[in-house]
């Protein structure tokens, strides 16, 4: 190093000053100070009366002195003035030097000479962490050489960190060991010829083994076989250096996963979390590995009164982990239920459980007498933040008894796709035991995640055409199809027999069960040949639910008006569409209309929709005069209503698009039609029931075929969601329904939906002309 003499010392201060280069215009100043002359020493640097950018660290030396290490940048001519100050009253000391005269590179041995172990770690943290970023040294060759020399002084013969598996997208899994006393790792860096880089992700420390060491795993970018480098771990209790071993025969993840190491719960779960955080490809790889080599399921079944339990539900979404199962504890021996995580101590979850009565079948594995049932406590719980939403398919739970006995539970491999998770969530709590609190705390967040995932990952639909429809259709009739096609022949024949429909309507079927594309396309093709009615088939990329299917059909439509119709709705006369279209007029401020709907026996199924609270305060949907004869006088009065059913609703297409169409936050197919009506009302527009138009509706013939449709739970969720969103608006809407006309509130001022989005009178006249 270059040694420079500062200005004369005051008060007995005899500092030693050394200056060297780190790289280019970045220098390192070392000022050794006799203690205790100064306490809390500080060094400031200036050139041409301008303060220089610098960073410093003060190191205690083994002989009682202190050494201040300052890194700074100086790119201009002229000397630098260094000022040493402290809390002692002896005054400042200054030194002057010209960095341009300094050519020697920093020497790691000189810097750490006489420094205590803690001082060496302090300097290492600065050299690895903050300083390279501040001074742009992360890829400076001279600095990298100095840093490597420095780290190898701290760890003369570093142990190896060995690549043990190839992961996805050019990533490697590294494995090493560290002393058992090491606490959590804050940051990891890799140092090699290409630079100093901070590693993303979170290294994992396992439990101490018999030798007192803790296994270490982390993920890094792949490197050439001949390249190695150093791994630097900054921990709460120290700094660890490891040599990254160069290895040419790195096994695949599948080979490593098949070994004993991957069977450890914590390591397995950690790797699933890390892979899922890399990319969608990594998430799929994590799912594949868990399915390829599943862990053995664990449960405790007994035929006596000792505690027994089973975990049969454990699905993850970004909302957390949804657990479900049952336990028996006749004598109150259970102390706690513990959920194991990839790192840290198990999490107590007993207080989070939503409990409900459960009946277990008897006669298997000695449980009770054949034909009897065994009573147990069913439970479900949502654990927020578990595994950051990664698909851990077999988490482990322990039942800790007051005696100290521990019972282990692990489910069979759980589903990872949104549709299957949704079905499991809907079955987590029996509908007769489900409360609003249970729903909100446990099931609703998971269902919201599933609906969001289905929405965001919905492939673009395919469109098939049968014939050529009208160039400028007066209305687009959108009909979703799901697994039930029994009424298509009757429906298409009724449409084709209606001259107005055949000449002016655009018919769009949307297939929400794409696995039946060939069958449905063949059926519609035959109906087109038989009746000559042009139509389109929009095939969803996968099942998306009623809302998504209707929205896709609306997006494919071309007319100014939409008629959203169910596949089990059959007209009983011609001219039903113009009869509804003509009720949508700008001066009436009508946003949507709906017809009278009849059961096949002629009784009323729908004469408008209204809302009524149940005993728990939740708003439920009801149909006016349901079950009454079709000629019932009050049901044959055209009037404004709070809403109309989605089985047949006619409205301007632009309005449908503006309010966002059907909201697919509602599960499977229920309450999205009333939600649409409430959005129309919020826009300042009315909804009219038109009894002069009647159709047959064979209610819920398709939705009942949904394998994951549990009406009790799905309906409770949807009514809860509607109440949560619209409580005050529904309250006001229903309060106004029975008021005399003179007390009705004045219409709201015209919104931007009117007249921009509503049909003009001229278009209406053209649309309804015979």
């Amino acid at each position: 190093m270059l040694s420079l003499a500062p200005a004369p010392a005051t008060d007995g201060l005899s500092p030693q000053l050394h200056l060297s280069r780190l790289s280019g215009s970045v220098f390192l100043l070392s000022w050794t100070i006799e203690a205790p002359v100064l306490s809390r020493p500080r060094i400031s640097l200036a050139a041409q009366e301008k303060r220089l950018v610098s960073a410093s660290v003060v190191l205690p030396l083994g002989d009682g002195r202190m050494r201040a290490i300052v890194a700074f940048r100086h790119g201009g001519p002229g000397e630098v003035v260094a000022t040493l100050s402290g809390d002692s009253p002896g005054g400042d000391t200054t030194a002057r030097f010209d960095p341009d005269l300094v050519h020697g590179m920093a020497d790691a041995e000189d810097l750490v000479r006489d420094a205590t172990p803690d001082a060496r770690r302090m300097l290492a943290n600065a050299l690895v962490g903050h300083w390279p970023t501040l001074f742009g040294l992360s890829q400076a060759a001279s600095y990298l050489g100095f840093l490597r020399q420095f780290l190898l002084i701290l760890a003369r013969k570093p142990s190896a960190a060995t690549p043990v598996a190839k992961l996805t997208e050019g990533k490697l899994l590294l494995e090493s060991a560290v002393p058992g006393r090491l606490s959590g790792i804050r940051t990891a860096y890799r140092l090699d010829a290409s630079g100093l880089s901070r590693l993303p992700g979170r290294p994992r420390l396992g439990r101490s083994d018999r030798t007192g060491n803790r296994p270490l795993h982390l993920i890094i970018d792949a490197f050439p076989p001949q390249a190695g480098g150093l791994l630097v771990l900054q921990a709460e209790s120290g700094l660890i250096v490891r040599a990254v071993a160069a290895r040419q025969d790195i096994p695949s993840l599948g080979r490593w996963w098949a070994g004993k190491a991957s069977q450890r719960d914590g390591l397995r779960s950690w790797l699933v979390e890390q892979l899922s955080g890399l990319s969608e490809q990594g998430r799929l790889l994590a799912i594949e590995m868990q399915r390829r080599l599943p862990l053995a399921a664990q449960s405790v079944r007994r035929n006596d009164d000792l505690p027994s339990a089973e975990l049969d539900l454990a699905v993850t979404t970004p909302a957390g982990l949804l657990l479900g199962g049952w336990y028996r504890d006749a004598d109150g021996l259970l102390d706690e239920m513990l959920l194991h995580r990839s790192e840290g101590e198990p999490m107590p979850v007993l207080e989070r459980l939503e409990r409900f009565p459960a009946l277990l079948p008897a006669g298997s594995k000695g449980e009770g007498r054949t034909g009897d049932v065994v009573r147990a406590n069913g439970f479900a719980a949502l654990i927020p933040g578990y595994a950051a939403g990664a698909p851990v398919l077999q988490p482990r739970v322990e039942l800790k008894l007051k005696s100290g006995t521990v019972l282990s539970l692990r489910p069979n491999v759980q589903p990872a796709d949104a549709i299957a998770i949704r079905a499991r969530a809907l079955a987590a709590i029996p509908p007769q035991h489900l409360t609003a609190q249970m729903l909100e705390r446990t099931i609703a967040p998971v269902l919201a995640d599933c609906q969001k995932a289905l929405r965001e990952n919905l492939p673009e639909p395919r469109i098939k055409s049968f014939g050529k429809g009208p160039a400028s259709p007066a209305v687009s009739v959108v009909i979703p199809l799901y697994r039930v096609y029994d009424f298509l022949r009757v429906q298409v024949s009724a449409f084709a027999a209606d001259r107005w429909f055949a000449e002016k309507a655009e018919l769009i079927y949307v297939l929400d069960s794409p696995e039946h594309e060939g069958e449905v396309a063949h059926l519609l093709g035959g109906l087109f040949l038989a009746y000559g009615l042009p139509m389109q088939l929009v095939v969803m990329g996968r099942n998306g639910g009623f809302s998504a299917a209707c929205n896709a059909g609306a997006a494919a439509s071309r007319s100014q008006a939409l008629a959203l119709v169910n596949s089990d709705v059959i007209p009983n006369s011609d001219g039903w569409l113009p009869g509804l279209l003509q009720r949508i007029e700008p001066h009436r401020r009508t946003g949507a209309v709906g017809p009278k709907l009849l059961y096949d026996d002629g009784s009323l199924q729908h004469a408008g929709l209204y809302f009524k609270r149940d005993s728990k305060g939740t708003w439920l949907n009801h149909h006016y005069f349901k079950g009454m004869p079709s000629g019932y006088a009050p049901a044959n009065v055209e009037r404004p209503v709070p809403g109309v059913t989605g089985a047949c609703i006619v409205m301007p297409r632009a309005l449908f698009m503006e309010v966002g169409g059907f909201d697919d936050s509602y599960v499977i197919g229920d309450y999205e039609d009333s939600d649409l009506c409430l959005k129309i009302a919020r826009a300042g527009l009315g909804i009219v029931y038109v009894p002069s138009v009647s159709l047959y509706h064979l209610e819920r013939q398709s939705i009942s075929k949904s394998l994951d449709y549990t009406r009790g739970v799905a309906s409770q969720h949807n009514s809860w969601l509607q109440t949560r969103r619209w409580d005050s608006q529904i309250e006001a809407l229903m309060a106004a329904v029975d008021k005399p006309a003179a007390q009705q509130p004045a219409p709201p001022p015209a919104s931007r939906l009117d007249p921009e989005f509503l049909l003009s009178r001229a278009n209406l006249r053209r649309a309804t002309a015979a």
Side-chain angles (χ1 to χ4, degrees):
M1 288 187 181
L2 178 64
S3 179
L4 303 176
T10 61
D11 297 329
L13 184 63
S14 301
Q16 299 177 27
L17 192 67
H18 298 273
L19 188 67
S20 58
R21 284 183 187 266
L22 284 178
S23 175
S25 61
V26 182
F27 298 85
L28 196 68
L29 175 65
S30 172
W31 201 327
T32 304
I33 307 161
E34 298 292 338
V37 176
L38 287 178
S39 62
R40 300 182 62 183
R42 299 179 295 276
I43 297 177
S44 61
L45 303 174
Q48 298 180 349
E49 299 183 352
K50 292 183 178 181
R51 189 161 185 170
L52 299 180
V53 175
S54 62
S56 62
V57 60
V58 178
L59 310 177
L61 303 182
D63 57 8
R65 295 179 299 165
M66 292 180 290
R67 180 171 297 145
I69 308 293
V70 186
F72 67 95
R73 183 185 299 281
H74 181 262
E79 66 179 8
V80 173
V81 178
T83 302
L84 175 65
S85 60
D87 292 342
S88 299
D92 297 343
T93 299
T94 62
R96 298 175 182 274
F97 48 85
D98 187 353
D100 289 340
L101 302 178
V102 177
H103 302 289
M105 302 304 296
D107 186 286
E109 290 280 5
D110 287 344
L111 282 178
V112 299
R113 184 175 291 115
D114 300 326
T116 64
D118 285 342
R120 294 184 177 203
R121 284 193 293 269
M122 290 169 59
L123 181 56
N125 286 331
L127 292 172
V128 172
H130 178 56
W131 291 4
T133 302
L134 179 62
F135 298 109
L137 300 172
S138 297
Q139 294 182 311
S142 57
Y143 180 76
L144 298 177
F146 157 76
L147 183 58
R148 180 179 178 85
Q149 177 194 20
F150 177 85
L151 293 172
L152 290 177
I153 290 173
L154 299 187
R156 295 289 181 181
K157 294 182 179 180
S159 300
T162 306
V164 293
K166 294 179 182 178
L167 307 180
T168 183
E169 298 173 298
K171 303 289 184 181
L172 298 176
L173 176 65
L174 278 189
E175 185 176 71
S176 187
V178 298
R181 66 180 182 277
L182 190 71
S183 55
I185 296 174
R186 297 195 306 266
T187 316
Y189 296 88
R190 183 178 173 194
L191 173 64
D192 57 26
S194 64
L196 175 69
S197 57
R198 180 172 178 170
L199 300 178
R202 187 183 74 252
R204 180 184 186 276
L205 288 176
R207 296 181 179 275
S208 297
D209 58 20
R210 295 177 180 177
T211 66
N213 290 325
R214 302 180 68 180
L216 168 76
H217 292 86
L218 74 162
I219 294 174
I220 66 170
D221 289 322
F223 52 90
Q226 68 276 11
L230 297 178
L231 180 67
V232 185
L233 306 171
Q234 290 181 323
E236 297 172 2
S237 57
L239 184 139
I240 297 293
V241 179
R242 291 290 179 264
V244 180
R247 181 179 177 184
Q248 296 187 4
D249 60 335
I250 303 174
S252 66
L253 177 61
R255 286 174 53 196
W256 176 85
W257 196 281
K260 294 182 179 179
S262 68
Q263 303 304 306
R264 288 175 282 179
D265 285 330
L267 177 58
R268 182 183 176 107
S269 297
W270 172 84
L271 187 55
V272 169
E273 293 176 33
Q274 298 302 301
L275 287 172
S276 299
L278 292 176
S279 64
E280 177 63 13
Q281 184 179 356
R283 191 185 76 88
L284 295 175
L285 179 60
I287 294 171
E288 176 190 341
M289 290 298 103
Q290 293 176 90
R291 294 194 184 284
R292 182 173 295 182
L293 288 168
L295 300 172
Q298 293 177 302
S299 62
V300 181
R301 289 176 173 267
R302 303 185 62 90
N303 58 2
D304 53 27
D305 287 335
L306 288 175
S308 58
E310 183 175 19
L311 185 66
D312 55 21
L313 172 65
V315 291
T316 57
T317 72
L321 170 67
L322 178 61
L323 291 174
W326 59 266
Y327 71 90
R328 295 179 60 228
D329 182 26
D331 296 323
L333 302 180
L334 178 62
D335 181 46
E336 186 55 86
M337 182 178 289
L338 300 171
L339 171 65
H340 282 251
R341 297 173 287 178
S342 61
E343 294 182 277
E345 294 299 316
M347 175 191 299
V349 297
L350 190 61
E351 291 186 356
R352 296 175 179 265
L353 301 187
E354 306 287 357
R355 298 174 178 85
F356 50 86
L359 298 178
L360 308 178
S364 60
K365 297 187 178 181
E367 278 195 350
R369 298 183 301 276
T370 303
D372 291 344
V373 294
V374 178
R375 298 185 180 277
N377 295 299
F379 68 85
L382 180 63
I383 315 301
Y386 179 81
V392 178
L393 305 186
Q394 289 185 282
R396 183 158 66 100
V397 168
E398 289 180 346
L399 295 184
K400 181 181 177 183
L401 305 186
K402 294 175 182 177
S403 64
T405 302
V406 174
L407 309 177
S408 293
L409 305 178
R410 183 187 288 122
N412 290 311
V413 176
Q414 298 291 292
D417 65 285
I419 293 179
I421 290 175
R422 183 180 67 182
R424 296 299 306 278
L426 288 172
I429 301 176
Q432 67 271 26
H433 300 304
L434 184 63
T435 66
Q437 184 181 39
M438 288 180 178
L439 185 62
E440 183 168 4
R441 295 200 319 181
T442 305
I443 298 177
V446 175
L447 294 178
D449 280 347
C450 292
Q451 295 301 107
K452 180 181 179 183
L454 292 172
R455 180 190 316 122
E456 293 177 347
N457 298 302
L458 190 63
E460 286 295 319
R462 303 179 299 277
I463 300 179
K464 295 185 176 183
S465 297
F466 302 90
K468 187 176 181 180
S472 299
V475 61
S476 297
V477 181
V478 174
I479 303 175
L481 300 174
Y482 181 74
R483 294 190 175 180
V484 175
Y485 319 114
D486 302 348
F487 307 107
L488 282 180
R489 291 180 175 84
V490 178
Q491 191 179 59
V492 171
S493 66
F495 291 164
D498 186 333
R499 179 182 173 188
W500 190 98
F501 189 109
E503 294 179 354
K504 297 182 179 294
E506 175 186 46
L507 179 57
I508 301 173
Y509 283 106
V510 185
L511 182 60
D512 198 33
S513 42
E515 66 274 13
H516 298 160
E517 179 179 355
E519 173 189 348
V520 174
H522 178 75
L523 175 59
L524 294 182
L527 292 174
F528 168 68
L529 292 176
Y531 297 104
L533 182 66
M535 64 189 80
Q536 294 184 66
L537 177 63
V538 177
V539 182
M540 301 294 286
R542 59 158 175 72
N543 172 245
F546 176 85
S547 295
C550 289
N551 292 345
S557 66
R558 296 179 293 123
S559 72
Q560 294 187 46
L562 281 177
L564 300 157
V565 180
N566 279 10
S567 62
D568 51 6
V569 169
I570 311 296
N572 63 357
S573 63
D574 297 348
W576 62 279
L577 264 177
L580 294 173
L581 284 171
Q582 66 185 2
R583 299 306 198 279
I584 305 176
E585 296 187 13
H587 74 279
R588 293 188 178 188
R589 300 190 54 73
T590 301
V593 298
K596 178 197 295 183
L597 294 179
L598 306 173
Y599 289 114
D600 54 1
D601 63 358
S603 61
L604 284 170
Q605 186 264 322
H606 169 265
L609 179 151
Y610 68 98
F611 306 96
K612 185 177 180 180
R613 292 190 190 272
D614 65 5
S615 59
K616 301 174 183 177
T618 302
W619 288 108
L620 303 182
N621 295 353
H622 295 272
H623 291 177
Y624 285 110
F625 316 124
K626 188 171 184 176
M628 298 296 288
S630 61
Y632 184 59
N636 287 286
V637 177
E638 183 171 317
R639 67 194 188 283
V641 288
V644 291
T645 177
C648 183
I649 180 171
V650 177
M651 62 186 298
R653 181 183 187 276
L655 175 60
F656 183 83
M657 296 300 184
E658 178 66 18
V659 300
F662 285 119
D663 191 331
D664 55 13
S665 299
Y666 294 90
V667 175
I668 302 174
D670 208 5
Y671 284 83
E672 64 283 285
D673 50 359
S674 54
D675 183 271
L676 175 64
C677 293
L678 289 165
K679 290 190 289 187
I680 293 171
R682 184 175 59 187
L685 303 172
I687 299 169
V688 173
Y689 163 64
V690 183
S692 58
V693 176
S694 63
L695 301 92
Y696 287 104
H697 182 206
L698 308 176
E699 189 179 24
R700 293 189 176 272
Q701 294 293 316
S702 60
I703 197 172
S704 63
K705 298 293 184 179
S706 176
L707 295 179
D708 55 358
Y709 181 73
T710 305
R711 174 154 178 77
V713 176
S715 182
Q716 285 185 57
H717 167 268
N718 291 347
S719 61
W720 166 85
L721 180 59
Q722 175 176 263
T723 303
R724 187 175 183 181
R725 286 183 174 180
W726 299 103
D727 189 15
S728 59
Q729 182 171 324
I730 295 176
E731 182 77 49
L733 188 64
M734 293 309 300
V737 165
D738 297 325
K739 285 185 179 180
Q743 299 179 23
Q744 292 285 344
S751 70
R752 63 193 181 93
L753 299 177
D754 180 26
E756 181 180 356
F757 292 101
L758 290 179
L759 294 172
S760 68
R761 290 182 179 229
N763 284 333
L764 281 167
R765 283 195 296 270
R766 285 195 297 268
T768 57

